[in-house]
Amino acid sequence: MQRSNDLILKTTTTIIVFIIMGFSIYLFFAGHNAPGGGFIGGLMTSGALVLLYVSYGFKTMERVIRFDFKNFIPIGLLIAVLTGVGSFFFGQPFLSHTDAYFELPILGHTHLATAILFDLGVYFTVVGVTMTIILNIAADEGEEELSKQNM
Amino acid sequence: MSNLVILPILLPLLTGIFLVFFNSKLPLVRMITKVMVIINLIAVSAIAYEVVQNGTMVLKAGDWTVPYGIVLVADPLAMVLVVTANIVATACAFYAFHSLDEQRERFYFYPLFQLLIAGVSGAFLTGDLFNLFVFFEVLLIASYGLIVLGGTKEQFRESFKYIIINLFSSILFVTTVSFLYAVVGTVNMAQLAERVGEVEQGGILTTIAILLLVVFATKGALFPLYFWLPKSYTVPPTVISALFGALLTKVGVYSILRVFSLIFVYDLTFTHQLFIILAAFTLIFGVVGALSTNNIQLIVAYNIIPAVGYMILGIGVFSATALAGSVYYLVHDMIIKAALFLLVGAMAAYSGTSDLRKMGGLIKHQPVLGWLFFIAALALAGLPPFSGFVGKLLILRGAFEEGHYTVAVIGLLTSLLILISIIKIFIKGFWGEDKLEKVPNISIRNKIMPAAFLLFFTVLLGIGAEFFYPTVQSIGDQIIDPINYIDSVMKE
């Protein structure tokens, strides 16, 4: 099948993906004091990635993104569980979190909490699960077409 | 230290996560699984010993004070069940190495297996109704993965029913928890137990209790809601059937036991009378199913249902003796159902069919398997030297003491029918003329060993009843008088 030239789609995608990614990272960090957090941040990132897959196609993206999204799931789970286990070393009950204020070079007076690490785990898991589901279903479709062509 | 309480959940969870990373290296995955199930069993036993000796341990996750945070409560009842679940898991893990095809092992069998164990342990340990729901989902989602693993036609058909029915009951569970939260204002079980008596909303609370009963009855296969169980438990490979048969329904029974001994105890005449009626029907219908079929796996699957009936009977009678009997029977039944599924799986693997009419004379080829099965059959029916006897004796004695004669007689007759249904496999499958066309050249020694390991505990629980009984009796006393549970959660 001749592929139509979606120049407009591809050009806008390259710009918009950056905006969506930025917004997803903003949502991820905003979670403590405003609506947002790991879950919606992860979904938003997956949204950006899906937009890339839609406009550039499966094969191109395979060359650009070389890691397997399936691995994101155990990585995220591991981060989340280990932040819980970390409290063991300070003699605290499982999943205890702590926070403190730091003077950082650019950001100034900043409130840092270990809860963000747990959120990071959630973020990775959500990205992994969403992308695995979408890409696997998409891959199934491709296989069918491939087998049709071979017939 | 109170962090010990999280270990039965944390160890399998972490193992499961790590196994995903090494998924491509199958020998390594098998070795990690082998080592970790044993380490887990030892750790859990140590914690259980500690709990039985020194009393309930409570973990407040995140160091939040009790009604506000999540609590994990390791009381003797929960720990005994966690240990039993881990014994079953160990046997099933070792059976899996020799029975599953490589395709299934590669598609994340072991991570799903570990997540299932984490979910089951979590459901036993949690002290919070909503977390019970979450752990139910953890174990159910792992079980969805396991039931469809391999993707045969029958598995797809049965897993569809299984997922739909469980999804429906999970939705009802959330709805019910929200009703309860609206009335009582908490989901912490210990605080619920305190407040349920105070709010004076008898009618609505009884309604909520019955809704919860419907939820747990669906998960635990009670009388009108057991229809999904037998078929869907026999389509996956043997080791998965064994895990499901031993663990999943028992989590439902445990939830009924916990919720209806701790929270909803103000209107016993209605709720627990209902239990006794349901138990009677569950006993009858389950055993009729078991008698109706010639498929050996289906016979064992149907036998799960009358066993649930006995436990519910013990809960319905609601005396210390009957509750101790329920706990004893719960432990016995988890072990014996796993053992029976594994033995029947070995039989089917050896003779190449699970149809009883095509079997015969197996005792000449596999004497060890035959006699192990004979022991398992007697233990299931509840004959004296084995573990089934003690539990049934306590439940029925409790029923007679409290004057529930009809249901006790039904229980006794059901025992007889259970024996008939299971000994039929022994008589037709192991005795009689040899129907094997040629002796199959496969060794099933590795499949018999895990079953023998489980039967060892059956015999131990039966012969060593004198030794275990005081502990179980004290668990029964604690269930009927939950002040100990409430105090150990609320005081800190």
Side-chain angles (χ1 to χ4, degrees):
Chain A
M1 196 183 81
Q2 182 74 39
R3 203 183 155 82
S4 59
N5 188 359
D6 354 302
L7 181 66
I8 298 175
L9 178 67
K10 282 180 183 173
T11 318
T12 42
T13 299
T14 31
I15 302 163
I16 287 175
V17 158
F18 277 102
I19 300 171
I20 302 177
M21 281 284 191
F23 187 50
S24 78
I25 291 166
Y26 164 75
L27 278 176
F28 172 73
F29 282 108
H32 202 74
N33 300 316
F39 186 80
I40 189 67
L43 274 183
M44 203 59 121
T45 307
S46 322
L49 288 168
V50 168
L51 182 60
L52 279 175
Y53 272 90
V54 166
S55 50
Y56 282 95
F58 214 69
K59 280 186 188 133
T60 323
M61 287 309 289
E62 237 165 31
R63 258 178 282 136
V64 179
I65 300 177
R66 285 170 182 278
F67 42 78
D68 191 354
F69 282 109
K70 243 181 269 166
N71 288 335
F72 273 40
I73 305 170
I75 290 171
L77 285 175
L78 199 62
I79 295 172
V81 175
L82 287 183
T83 48
V85 177
S87 58
F88 284 16
F89 299 108
F90 302 97
Q92 293 293 318
F94 182 69
L95 272 178
S96 299
H97 285 280
T98 180
D99 61 304
Y101 287 90
F102 292 96
E103 294 297 332
L104 294 181
I106 301 165
L107 299 167
H109 190 65
T110 318
H111 181 203
L112 291 182
T114 51
I116 194 97
L117 293 173
F118 187 88
D119 247 7
L120 191 68
V122 176
Y123 177 86
F124 271 110
T125 314
V126 170
V127 173
V129 169
T130 320
M131 292 314 289
T132 308
I133 291 172
I134 291 172
L135 294 184
N136 270 314
I137 293 172
D140 273 3
E141 199 87 22
E143 274 166 28
E144 257 169 42
E145 261 171 36
L146 213 67
S147 62
K148 262 182 211 161
Q149 278 168 8
N150 290 342
M151 273 194 324
Chain B
M1 189 168 129
S2 63
N3 263 334
L4 283 176
V5 182
I6 194 78
L7 280 187
I9 306 168
L10 199 60
L11 282 176
L13 183 61
L14 275 175
T15 317
I17 296 168
F18 272 112
L19 288 180
V20 180
F21 287 119
F22 303 121
N23 195 49
S24 50
K25 301 182 192 70
L26 205 49
L28 185 65
V29 167
R30 286 185 186 147
M31 204 186 69
I32 296 176
T33 311
K34 248 181 228 180
V35 174
M36 284 313 289
V37 286
I38 291 171
I39 289 179
N40 200 14
L41 182 58
I42 294 168
V44 166
S45 311
I47 299 167
Y49 180 79
E50 186 77 18
V51 167
V52 169
Q53 292 293 316
N54 301 334
T56 307
M57 280 201 274
V58 177
L59 169 64
K60 296 173 286 176
D63 214 9
W64 293 92
T65 42
V66 160
Y68 309 112
I70 294 162
V71 280
L72 293 171
V73 187
D75 67 335
L77 169 65
M79 278 323 290
V80 164
L81 294 176
V82 169
V83 171
T84 318
N86 274 289
I87 290 172
V88 171
T90 311
C92 285
F94 277 85
Y95 191 91
F97 303 131
H98 305 290
S99 70
L100 281 182
D101 47 311
E102 206 163 291
Q103 189 74 10
R104 284 200 167 93
E105 287 185 281
R106 279 203 189 288
F107 273 89
Y108 305 101
F109 169 77
Y110 296 107
L112 286 172
F113 167 80
Q114 297 283 356
L115 287 181
L116 184 77
I117 303 303
V120 170
S121 302
F124 286 145
L125 286 174
T126 182
D128 178 302
L129 212 52
F130 192 75
N131 260 47
L132 181 65
F133 164 74
V134 173
F135 280 117
F136 256 117
E137 286 308 296
V138 170
L139 73 90
L140 281 174
I141 287 173
S143 79
Y144 300 156
L146 287 172
I147 200 172
V148 82
L149 190 69
T152 62
K153 201 173 160 192
E154 291 80 24
Q155 278 180 305
F156 279 131
R157 191 183 59 222
E158 295 305 327
S159 64
F160 180 72
K161 294 179 201 163
Y162 177 79
I163 291 171
I164 292 292
I165 193 87
N166 275 306
L167 217 51
F168 174 74
S169 73
S170 294
I171 294 168
L172 192 59
F173 196 174
V174 183
T175 320
T176 314
V177 170
S178 69
F179 286 158
L180 192 59
Y181 186 69
V183 175
V184 187
T186 177
V187 286
N188 182 297
M189 288 193 202
Q191 206 187 14
L192 270 174
E194 281 187 340
R195 282 198 186 171
V196 153
E198 295 165 7
V199 290
E200 292 176 353
Q201 296 269 345
I204 192 94
L205 279 172
T206 309
T207 314
I208 292 169
I210 298 305
L211 281 174
L212 268 183
L213 175 66
V214 172
V215 171
F216 295 139
T218 317
K219 316 251 187 209
L222 238 74
F223 158 60
L225 299 163
Y226 67 87
F227 52 87
W228 55 272
L229 183 136
K231 282 259 169 59
S232 62
Y233 273 26
T234 45
V235 288
T238 307
V239 58
I240 297 170
S241 309
L243 274 174
F244 284 14
L247 302 179
L248 298 193
T249 50
K250 306 319 181 270
V251 181
V253 174
Y254 164 80
S255 309
I256 293 178
L257 178 57
R258 181 64 93 199
V259 166
F260 285 90
S261 68
L262 188 62
I263 303 172
F264 300 109
V265 283
Y266 55 90
D267 190 10
L268 287 177
T269 45
F270 182 73
T271 49
H272 290 65
Q273 194 64 40
L274 185 67
F275 281 155
I276 290 174
I277 296 166
L278 286 180
F281 278 108
T282 313
L283 285 167
I284 295 167
F285 278 80
V287 84
V288 165
L291 286 167
S292 70
T293 171
N294 270 317
N295 180 330
I296 51 176
Q297 277 158 335
L298 215 49
I299 292 176
V300 178
Y302 265 116
N303 263 312
I304 295 171
I305 299 164
V308 171
Y310 280 114
M311 295 168 217
I312 298 301
L313 174 58
I315 300 168
V317 170
F318 210 66
S319 69
T321 319
L323 285 168
S326 275
V327 174
Y328 213 97
Y329 202 79
L330 196 55
V331 171
H332 145 80
D333 195 63
M334 280 163 90
I335 291 175
I336 195 71
K337 282 290 138 56
L340 271 173
F341 266 113
L342 297 186
L343 287 170
V344 161
M347 269 177 85
Y350 188 76
S351 52
T353 172
S354 53
D355 190 340
L356 202 51
R357 285 165 297 192
K358 292 177 188 158
M359 285 185 200
L362 277 178
I363 198 93
K364 285 174 206 132
H365 306 289
Q366 292 292 341
V368 182
L369 178 66
W371 294 116
L372 282 178
F373 188 86
F374 186 65
I375 293 175
L378 295 190
L380 179 74
L383 264 74
F386 304 113
S387 60
F389 174 70
V390 191
K392 257 180 210 174
L393 178 73
L394 291 172
I395 293 173
L396 294 177
R397 201 175 78 193
F400 275 119
E401 278 171 2
E402 303 288 317
H404 302 289
Y405 298 112
T406 326
V407 75
V409 171
I410 290 175
L412 282 171
L413 288 176
T414 310
S415 286
L416 191 66
L417 296 176
I418 290 174
L419 184 63
I420 292 172
S421 76
I422 200 78
I423 214 75
K424 187 169 83 173
I425 300 180
F426 184 73
I427 291 173
K428 287 193 181 166
F430 286 98
W431 289 350
E433 56 172 320
D434 195 345
K435 286 186 187 164
L436 281 177
E437 276 146 21
K438 59 176 196 308
V439 180
N441 188 22
I442 46 171
S443 159
I444 55 169
R445 216 178 119 250
N446 286 326
K447 295 188 180 178
I448 296 177
M449 287 302 285
F453 170 73
L454 288 173
L455 285 177
F456 164 74
F457 284 99
T458 309
V459 176
L460 188 73
L461 277 173
I463 294 174
E466 197 84 349
F467 176 73
F468 294 108
Y469 182 71
T471 312
V472 176
Q473 185 61 57
S474 78
I475 292 175
D477 291 338
Q478 283 178 27
I479 297 172
I480 199 129
D481 185 21
I483 195 75
N484 182 13
Y485 181 96
I486 299 170
D487 274 355
S488 53
V489 176
M490 297 300 284
K491 70 163 188 261
E492 294 179 48

